Amino acid sequence: MAHDSTTLSRPPGARDDWTIDQDWNAYTQAEHDVWITLYERQRALLPGRACDPFLKGLDSLDLHRAGIPDFNRINEELKRLTGWTVVAVPGLVPDEVFFEHLANRRFPAGQFIRRADQLDYLQEPDVFHDVFGHVPMLTDPTFADYMQAYGQGGLRALGLGQLHNLARLYWYTVEFGLLETPEGLRIYGAGIVSSHAESIFALDDPSPNRLGFDLERTMRTPYRIDDFQQAYFVIPSLQALLDATLADFGALYVYLAGAKDIPIDAVLPSDKVFTRGTQAYARRGGRTAA
Ligand SMILES: [Fe+2]
């Protein structure tokens, strides 16, 4: 799930907190088949690419069963492991609703699934992106605390006018984050692990920069919503990410209000460089040129 600061209106049938019933029995076999196709493709690709907590999360939630998971079933185990639950929502939700859910250890997940002709790209987060991509990491106690801290930080940031900076933190960590391990870089970001093509691009392609995570630097870097990223940020550990996020960002926002954005393809002298990207993919025109 992502959040959206544009004005959204609550769809008919959604509760005040924008949740709806998952209505698991209403999914068709064709919809379950879309999940199975996506699931099997990622399951074959991700060992050696996704980080251990993600792969372990898939196992502990038993997401290997065929078809779209029943949220009631996965919530029993998720709640036991870290106190999180998954709640169904119709699609994107407003910032304040999103932060409120995260601050209370509830992850809003899209109820619908993409069509069979949209396997590779979908702008709005569906149940595959949200549950396969996000929920396994929520079984990790440190990452679970990070997501809650992000929601609490979001509630504090409302009204301070710096939500675009905070959204970049989410984007470059929760959605597109990489983790440094003794075996090499591994994926923990949901936007990568739920995408077959980006699971390869993010680790193997010479085009993007791969840079050490730094809170302020990340918050000053714009991102791509429509294509592979031009920069990925690498955290040394989940604990380091959590530690960086527990502080009140009030003073940082005051600084950021007067700081310039960093160009999306820049490598700064202060960056820890894992890969200095060629940016060849973006220069060719990215997805539109493919
Ligand atoms: Fe997401």
Side-chain angles (χ1 to χ4, degrees):
M1 176 54 54
H3 49 95
D4 192 323
S5 50
T6 56
T7 314
L8 298 167
S9 56
R10 182 155 54 92
R15 301 179 190 97
D16 287 350
D17 65 357
W18 287 60
T19 61
I20 56 173
D21 290 331
Q22 185 193 12
D23 200 8
W24 186 80
N25 287 313
Y27 289 119
T28 64
Q29 190 55 48
E31 289 175 320
H32 286 300
D33 288 346
V34 169
W35 173 284
I36 292 166
T37 303
L38 291 166
Y39 178 89
E40 289 181 350
R41 199 165 63 157
Q42 287 312 89
R43 192 69 183 105
L45 179 66
L46 290 176
R49 291 182 179 272
C51 67
D52 286 345
F54 177 87
L55 296 170
K56 207 173 134 214
L58 281 184
D59 286 342
S60 50
L61 296 175
D62 192 15
L63 288 179
H64 309 300
R65 291 190 212 190
I68 300 166
D70 183 339
F71 293 178
N72 290 326
R73 181 181 69 76
I74 52 180
N75 279 343
E76 281 175 31
E77 185 61 10
L78 186 57
K79 202 167 195 172
R80 193 186 69 75
L81 288 168
T82 57
W84 275 79
T85 54
V86 180
V87 292
V89 291
L92 291 171
V93 302
D95 291 322
E96 68 273 20
V97 173
F98 184 70
F99 295 145
E100 187 70 34
H101 280 301
L102 295 190
N104 289 285
R105 293 193 172 235
R106 292 187 302 265
F107 188 75
Q111 184 270 353
F112 72 102
I113 192 153
R114 69 196 74 182
R115 297 191 314 261
D117 62 353
Q118 299 171 312
L119 290 187
D120 291 315
Y121 183 65
L122 187 72
Q123 193 135 9
E124 188 152 9
D126 70 343
V127 67
F128 186 76
H129 168 82
D130 280 334
V131 173
F132 181 91
H134 283 282
V135 176
M137 288 303 293
L138 292 174
T139 64
D140 180 90
T142 307
F143 192 82
D145 286 352
Y146 170 65
M147 285 290 274
Q148 181 178 27
Y150 182 87
Q152 291 164 334
L155 291 175
R156 286 196 299 268
L158 284 173
L160 293 178
Q162 300 303 130
L163 278 184
H164 65 288
N165 297 115
L166 193 67
R168 289 168 177 175
L169 173 64
Y170 189 86
W171 194 264
Y172 280 122
T173 61
V174 177
E175 295 290 358
F176 292 96
L178 298 177
L179 172 68
E180 184 180 12
T181 79
E183 291 79 39
L185 299 186
R186 293 290 183 270
I187 306 161
Y188 73 93
I192 309 177
V193 284
S194 62
S195 159
H196 189 263
E198 195 147 3
S199 295
I200 298 168
F201 182 89
L203 291 179
D204 297 351
D205 201 280
S207 189
N209 296 324
R210 298 179 185 86
L211 307 170
F213 172 80
D214 174 88
L215 182 69
E216 176 208 312
R217 203 265 190 237
T218 304
M219 285 190 174
R220 289 174 60 193
T221 309
Y223 56 80
R224 304 290 305 250
I225 56 165
D226 57 342
D227 211 326
F228 299 145
Q229 300 307 304
Q230 291 181 247
Y232 296 91
F233 289 98
V234 181
I235 56 169
S237 67
L238 296 174
Q239 187 64 48
L241 178 62
L242 173 61
D243 292 346
T245 314
L246 287 175
D248 187 321
F249 295 154
L252 182 56
Y253 291 146
V254 172
Y255 165 76
L256 288 171
K260 280 205 183 90
D261 280 356
I262 296 166
I264 197 165
D265 57 355
V267 176
L268 306 180
S270 52
D271 284 328
K272 177 176 180 181
V273 180
F274 290 85
T275 309
R276 186 179 292 268
T278 62
Q279 299 297 332
Y281 174 82
R283 287 208 192 97
R284 279 199 307 273
R287 184 173 273 131
T288 50

